[in-house]
Amino acid sequence: MKKRINNILKGKFLVDEEAFKNWRMIIFLSVLALIMIASSHRADEKVHEIARLKEKVQELRSESVDARLKLWKLKIESNVARKMEPRGVQPSATPPQKIKVKTRQE
C-alpha cells in the first residue's frame, strides 16, 4: 500500500507499460475540466450582463417617469398661459361653444 502511494506521488504510473491508459484518462479529465471552467465563465458573464441590463432598465424607467412629469407640468393650462403672455396670446374670456350639426332626412 505504501509502495503504491509512493509510486503515485513520484509519477511512476505515467511512465510504466500501461501508461497509455493513464494518459488517456488524464487528458480526458483535463478536457472535461476545461469545458467546465469555460461553461462557468460564460454563466458568470451572463449573470453580470443581466445585472447590468436590469440597472439600465431601472435607469431608463426613472428617466421616463421624470420626462412624463416634466411634460405634465408643461401642459398645465396656467403654465401655457404664462409662457404665451410675452407673445400677446391670452386665454379666451368666453368658453368655447359646441357646434351641433343636424342631418337632413329626406
Side-chain angles (χ1 to χ4, degrees), residues 73-74 76-91:
K73 285 181 179 179
L74 288 173
I76 294 176
E77 187 179 350
S78 60
N79 284 340
V80 173
R82 191 176 324 116
K83 289 190 181 212
M84 295 307 286
E85 247 176 44
R87 296 182 182 185
V89 178
Q90 297 175 352

Side-chain angles (χ1 to χ4, degrees), residues 27-46:
I27 291 172
F28 176 71
L29 292 176
S30 298
V31 169
L32 283 180
L34 288 174
I35 291 172
M36 274 182 48
I37 290 169
S39 174
S40 174
H41 184 66
R42 281 221 169 137
D44 286 343
E45 283 178 346
K46 287 182 181 183

Side-chain angles (χ1 to χ4, degrees), residues 11-74:
K12 289 188 178 182
F13 69 98
L14 298 174
V15 290
D16 64 1
E17 297 87 31
E18 296 179 9
F20 183 68
K21 291 180 189 176
N22 297 334
W23 277 106
R24 282 193 314 187
M25 184 58 77
I26 290 172
I27 291 172
F28 176 71
L29 292 176
S30 298
V31 169
L32 283 180
L34 288 174
I35 291 172
M36 274 182 48
I37 290 169
S39 174
S40 174
H41 184 66
R42 281 221 169 137
D44 286 343
E45 283 178 346
K46 287 182 181 183
V47 167
H48 289 295
E49 179 74 12
I50 289 170
R52 187 181 62 78
L53 289 174
K54 280 185 179 180
E55 286 179 18
K56 191 169 185 175
V57 165
Q58 280 184 328
E59 184 178 319
L60 291 173
R61 274 194 186 132
S62 66
E63 284 181 26
S64 170
V65 169
D66 288 344
R68 198 176 306 142
L69 181 63
K70 286 179 184 177
L71 178 64
W72 178 75
K73 285 181 179 179
L74 288 173

Side-chain angles (χ1 to χ4, degrees), residues 1-13:
M1 179 77 164
K2 189 176 183 182
K3 187 176 181 181
R4 275 184 143 181
I5 293 174
N6 213 4
N7 285 340
I8 291 173
L9 292 175
K10 288 182 180 180
K12 289 188 178 182
F13 69 98

